[in-house]
Amino acid sequence: MAKRKPIIEFQHVTKIYSGYDSKVIALNDVSLRIFSGEFIAITGPSGSGKSTLLHCMGLLDRPTSGKIFIEGKDTSEITGKDVALLRGKKIGFVFQSYNLIPRLSVIENVILPGLIIGRKRKELEKKAMDLLKEVGIAHRAEHRGVHLSGGEQQRVAIARALINDPIIILADEPTGALDTDSSKDIMDLLKETNRNRGVTVVFVSHDPDIARYGRRRIEVVDGKIVSDRRRR
């Protein structure tokens, strides 16, 4: 039987932030493998390094030392435009603050990552409408993001994250700005996306109730992984 290959792999990754005569070790010699189809919660106290871990996975931050591989590709060997292109094609992002552009309509926000990597607008608009139907917000396609509720904005953000058929969605506190009912709706939607599309989902949460959604839970404390458990 062939050995299963990870879609993302960390090898002894350390991330240090320096400034004003101080040094913060956000990640400390982290090694980690993530496989296709997983649904992973990253937990830990405030300042533990969990968001830095997620940002390094998404190449929004580059490690101080160590290596990060995406589908076997050593990302330390690529720079600039090639990093942005790899990120745009392989990774979808969902943030606590939604990050919708207020002056754009819902559908324009969804197609933006596709335009950035050079895809055709007409093809993207058709796909965006299908995604907006999938996440239950198609009736708002022409509205501006600022006129939507938090839960609706996060649904748009999930559609946007899926527009380029990523191998993985990275969600940083995706329910942090939502009420309990909306939080459940968004986590159920992410779970459904993972199940129906097979896309890997990794999310950060400080909320134990939200973290329970993860079929695998990675706990980070002081920049180190102290626990990595799969649910039976």
Side-chain angles (χ1 to χ4, degrees), residues 106-108 110-111 122-142 159 163:
V106 162
I107 195 165
E108 287 170 335
V110 173
I111 69 173
K122 195 169 180 181
E123 161 207 320
L124 287 168
E125 286 176 346
K126 183 181 182 306
K127 178 156 191 186
M129 280 307 302
D130 290 340
L131 287 170
L132 288 170
K133 286 175 190 168
E134 192 175 315
V135 301
I137 199 81
H139 61 292
R140 298 285 215 169
E142 300 303 327
I163 194 70

Side-chain angles (χ1 to χ4, degrees), residues 10 17 19 32 51 54 62 69-70 88 98 112-113 118 125 135 155 165 174 177 183 186 190-192 198-199 218:
F10 279 41
Y17 296 105
L32 173 69
S51 287
L54 198 79
R62 306 304 291 272
F69 296 83
I70 294 181
Y98 325 124
L112 194 57
E125 286 176 346
V135 301
R155 286 174 183 271
D165 295 312
S183 294
I186 291 302
L190 286 171
K191 196 161 78 170
E192 193 177 297
V199 63
I218 297 169

Side-chain angles (χ1 to χ4, degrees), residues 116-206:
I116 288 169
I117 65 169
R119 293 176 62 192
K120 292 179 181 176
R121 187 182 188 97
K122 195 169 180 181
E123 161 207 320
L124 287 168
E125 286 176 346
K126 183 181 182 306
K127 178 156 191 186
M129 280 307 302
D130 290 340
L131 287 170
L132 288 170
K133 286 175 190 168
E134 192 175 315
V135 301
I137 199 81
H139 61 292
R140 298 285 215 169
E142 300 303 327
H143 287 243
R144 302 264 183 261
V146 289
H147 300 307
L148 306 183
S149 70
E152 287 174 328
Q153 288 189 64
Q154 203 59 298
R155 286 174 183 271
V156 176
I158 292 170
R160 180 184 58 193
L162 290 167
I163 194 70
N164 289 331
D165 295 312
I167 60 168
I168 190 166
I169 287 180
L170 303 177
D172 195 357
E173 297 281 5
T175 64
L178 303 177
D179 61 31
T180 302
D181 288 343
S182 295
S183 294
K184 183 181 183 305
D185 288 345
I186 291 302
M187 291 311 299
D188 286 344
L189 181 56
L190 286 171
K191 196 161 78 170
E192 193 177 297
T193 300
N194 166 256
R195 182 176 62 244
N196 294 344
R197 291 177 163 271
V199 63
T200 303
V201 175
V202 181
F203 67 95
V204 163
S205 183
H206 68 278

